[in-house]
Amino acid sequence: VFATVTIENDADARVYIIDEAGHEVRHIADGLSQGGSWKFQIGKENLPSGIYFFTLQTKNGQKWSKKFMVVK
């Protein structure tokens, strides 16, 4: 699964995956600071079947999430 996100302005950002219950299950990146488009590959290995959210959150309040499902 691939996710592409765009940060409009330079901002310190954190990228992670949470499960349906809101628990962080995987940390992807910290400290993205350049504005622009970023593309991430979400590895589904080691994730049990379920609903997840790929989330990018900046320290200045921007938040973007993409819902995805793992079926095994």
Side-chain angles (χ1 to χ4, degrees):
V1 175
F2 287 93
T4 302
V5 296
T6 300
I7 303 172
E8 292 185 14
N9 301 308
D10 290 356
D12 191 17
R14 183 170 181 262
V15 181
Y16 54 96
I17 296 173
I18 58 174
D19 63 15
E20 206 169 15
H23 301 110
E24 184 174 329
V25 295
R26 188 171 297 161
H27 174 262
I28 306 293
D30 258 329
L32 299 179
S33 60
Q34 267 188 322
S37 291
W38 294 82
K39 186 174 184 176
F40 297 93
Q41 182 173 1
I42 304 168
K44 295 188 285 184
E45 63 280 346
N46 301 322
L47 289 176
S49 294
I51 304 291
Y52 297 91
F53 297 89
F54 172 85
T55 304
L56 180 142
Q57 185 170 8
T58 65
K59 289 191 177 179
N60 66 3
Q62 290 180 324
K63 188 173 184 179
W64 178 91
S65 291
K66 179 180 181 172
K67 184 178 180 179
F68 68 98
M69 182 170 42
V70 174
V71 178
K72 294 187 176 183

